[in-house]
Amino acid sequence: MAAELTTTKLNPESHLLLDQPLLRLPQELLRKNFKTAQKHFERENVLMQNELTKLGSSLRNGTTEATAAVKPLDAMIQRLHTLKRKMESLHEEEQVLHEASRRRLSHLNDLYEMNSLADVKYDQWSAVRLDRLLVEYMVRQGYSASAWALAREKGIEELVDLGVFDRCERVRRSLRGGSLDECLAWCAEYKVVMKKTDTSLEFELRLQQYIELCRRDRFVEARDHAKKYFPQYHEGHQEKISVAASLLAFKPDRRQHTWYSQTRWDELAALFIDTHHQLFSLPSQPLLLIALSAGLSALKTPSCHSKHASSTANASSTTTSVCPICSTELNELARKLPYAHHTKSYVENDPVVLVHEKEGRVYGRDRLLEYCKKIGLEEGFVKDPTSLHIWPASELKKVYIS
Amino acid sequence: MDISIKEHERYASKANLSKGINDVQKAIDLLTKTREAVVADPQSASSTVTRAQKPLKDCFASVKEDLLEVYRGNGKYQKTLEAKFKDKPFPTSDNNALATQTPLINRAIAMHLLREGQFDVASQFLTDITSATHHPSPPSTTPTHSPSAEESLSSIDPIHSPTLRHSFEQMYSILSSLRQHRDLLPAIAWSRIRSQELENRGSNLEFELAQLQFIHLFDTQGRDAALAYARAEDHHFAHFQSRYLNELSRLASSLAYQPSLASSPYRALFLAQGTWDDLARSFTREFCSLLGLSAQSPLYIAATAGAIALPTLLKLQTIMKDKRAEWTTAQELPVEIPLPPSYQFHSIFVCPVSKEQTTDENPPMMMPCGHVVAQETLCRMARGSRFKCPYCPSESRPVDAVKLFM
């Protein structure tokens, strides 16, 4: 086989591709964590200084008695204690995230210590990667219990973000079940970091609340709701806002609008998932599927779905191994995918052919003879491992494959 | 890696909230003192409070500064990450044919878990996927990507049947006896039942197990035990005779050296360290093969091959996007992806004339001179009559060509 067609070269820099979320996700959580701390602080910052200035001047001009000054001071101290407590718990979270990042970094750095793809250590590393991908796939599909079980069994809880995905799945489910509360709570928590993502999620949630009010004929509340929430979204959502206004005009029994259907909830769930994944720089589909669709094609050959048995990769002899694409697990899955591109033939050394009725099976001479010896075949004969025909050895014919 | 652990530690130790918390505490201390002063001396409350205004402002200013430092640190680290992954967008999702194949993916995962011996996780997984198919989330009107329950179940069915699970449980129990307790008897019992199939495959497993059992007895319990085993196994060693005469006589001769085996010509037979591991591996391999499965998890091989292939495929995606080119042959990948040699399973034939890989529809054809071209090439060259081989001077007729299976 020509050297350039196979490689065991490992380039860690380009190899770390599926692993982006490993570092990015904790970083996004840190950003949110920080922004939350900042929000808490900014509120107190302005308020405290105003309070103290106000107290000072009211003491000066005598509106407040000196003995009454203790009470506002106590209130301020109380508020600062609350701020400190909030910051402390955010700091704890921050430390957990830093530690997680550090461990992940160290796990990824292990790859830089390896010499090649044939390194045993690479196999181990890659097995951990598969476990990570499996856990991520499971939790994204909503198989949370499996995901946790696998992560625990393999001891890789720190390398997967089960908490984030579990939450995401909970919100998605509640939306599809027709409830907005979980999603609104999520938005409130992540509002601090949502500015950078261009999403209409919040508007759509408010719109849905409005639709629900209309559905229940609570038109006055609906109008109030619209007054309160819609103006800030006027830009960019004008069209929908005017449609919303028209909902008020319909009599309940004539509500044919598509907005009242389940589809709206499914769309909301999809929009939430989009927003969520965009926020965390996550791909829209499970990483496992990204890896598999590339891997299945890279491995697939025209022989994998051929109606004829392959001479080189089958279960019939101990000198061959079953091709993963031919194996039951993946065969059907790979059927619709393209097969790998090859520019050169690849055959075993010294190929020979056994011809029977205008059809010939090709084998590497050494492997064929080794097989015949292992099955204890009489000398001077060869047995076709696929058809199990026995021939005089003189029937072996050399074949030239370029 | 351009992000070292040290760099991260530096970042994490600088950019965190601890300093800010300390400065908030300073503000608390300041106000507490102010309060005490007001209580102690109500007369000068006004000036005490006014005097505290500036220090409080300073306290808040330093908290703000502390937070700014965290902000800068985060930002810088974020940039490092972005730079690192800048050229690595994830593939666009619209061309992933697997997204609609959930039942098949689930089946592959369940089989992977079973073959890896993760029986508890596998059970949980089967429970999860079954309940997910039985109760699709509330009234959904989009059946497009969630196939009907029957459909998913029928394609998952093989893994719900307990046979596969039992097979792998048996495999792991045999392996654990072999590895942990050096007990070969379960493996020997299995190989005896499968004797004929193993022999057809040209596998030596049955003999190797018996041989190791003999050696193991010799090693741990002495010659008599080993001989007793060989004799008890007489009919079996007799069955081995035709295929393994040499090996059997080696075993017999080794007995003569008993007290000083270490210096005998047979020491390799007895003291080879890796024997147990090798045997465990070939047992796994034979066991899986008899189930029609590959010895290593296909899911593992495919995911690893995918990780190796992705950088190339992404480069391709970028180039095609730039050139606004469409890759039209959905049947074959447009680029060659080099994988390690151990990831090559089938022979590949690329017609030397047309440069196309052969398929069922266009198989390789061998001319009487032993040279091979694809069938389509052959038809084009021959046009029904005699033609010259493109590689040698010999002439042949299309009817003389032999269809090859690689």
Side-chain angles (χ1 to χ4, degrees), chain A residues 13 20 27 74 84 94 109 123 126 137 146 285 306 315 318 339-341 343 346 358 360 374 400, chain B residues 1 11 17 25 35 88 96 106 128 201 285-286 300 304 332 336 348 357 360 370 399 403 405:
Chain A
E13 206 53 55
Q20 302 182 37
Q27 206 53 36
D74 277 342
K84 193 185 163 205
E94 182 183 60
N109 280 349
D123 266 340
S126 185
Y137 170 82
S146 307
Q285 50 182 328
S306 163
T318 191
Y339 51 76
H341 178 69
T343 50
Y346 163 72
K358 291 254 140 202
K374 277 194 165 175
Y400 301 95
Chain B
M1 186 171 199
Y11 148 65
L17 295 172
Q25 183 59 49
R35 181 193 184 276
K88 297 171 190 169
N96 196 331
N106 287 346
D128 282 357
R201 287 174 43 78
R285 184 184 156 92
E286 298 301 325
Y300 167 79
T304 308
E332 189 172 344
E336 188 146 24
I348 301 282
Q357 278 185 80
D360 274 8
V399 287
K403 186 170 166 182
F405 299 97

Side-chain angles (χ1 to χ4, degrees), chain B residues 16-164:
Chain B
N16 67 62
L17 295 172
S18 61
K19 263 171 133 186
I21 292 169
N22 285 341
D23 283 325
V24 171
Q25 183 59 49
K26 279 182 194 155
I28 295 173
D29 293 345
L30 178 78
L31 286 183
T32 315
K33 255 196 221 137
T34 311
R35 181 193 184 276
E36 281 162 9
V38 168
V39 173
D41 182 10
Q43 301 309 313
S44 46
S46 165
S47 61
T48 312
V49 167
T50 313
R51 243 183 295 129
Q53 280 171 9
K54 171 82 169 59
L56 185 72
K57 201 176 160 193
D58 291 346
C59 274
F60 278 106
S62 34
V63 177
K64 201 168 183 159
E65 189 53 44
D66 300 333
L67 289 180
L68 204 60
E69 195 177 336
V70 183
Y71 176 76
R72 286 198 206 102
N74 283 350
K76 202 176 144 207
Y77 191 73
Q78 189 96 9
K79 280 216 182 79
T80 318
L81 284 185
E82 258 151 40
K84 181 169 173 53
F85 296 119
K86 193 181 72 190
D87 315 323
K88 297 171 190 169
F90 285 112
T92 43
S93 54
D94 40 315
N95 52 18
N96 196 331
L98 298 182
T100 53
Q101 305 271 28
T102 309
L104 286 175
I105 304 257
N106 287 346
R107 187 177 76 164
I109 292 175
M111 286 178 79
H112 167 82
L113 293 170
L114 287 177
R115 72 149 63 226
E116 296 291 300
Q118 307 271 320
F119 299 114
D120 294 342
V121 183
S123 311
Q124 182 61 55
F125 185 66
L126 291 179
T127 313
D128 282 357
I129 58 178
T130 316
S131 64
T133 30
H134 281 309
H135 315 281
S137 13
S140 162
T141 48
T142 49
T144 34
H145 51 263
S146 51
S148 73
E150 298 101 279
E151 198 187 320
S152 344
L153 274 182
S154 69
S155 46
I156 289 171
D157 224 19
I159 48 162
H160 279 285
S161 85
T163 328
L164 191 70

Side-chain angles (χ1 to χ4, degrees), chain A residues 15 23 49 59 76 142 185 232 264 297 302 306 328 395:
Chain A
H15 202 77
L23 297 181
Q49 295 191 44
L59 280 169
M76 287 172 75
Q232 54 179 313
R264 241 318 278 175
S297 273
S306 163
T328 331
E395 288 289 310

Side-chain angles (χ1 to χ4, degrees), chain A residues 66-85:
Chain A
T67 43
V70 175
K71 215 174 147 201
L73 278 173
D74 277 342
M76 287 172 75
I77 293 171
Q78 199 51 46
R79 289 190 74 111
L80 280 177
H81 272 299
T82 311
L83 172 66
K84 193 185 163 205
R85 231 182 2 259

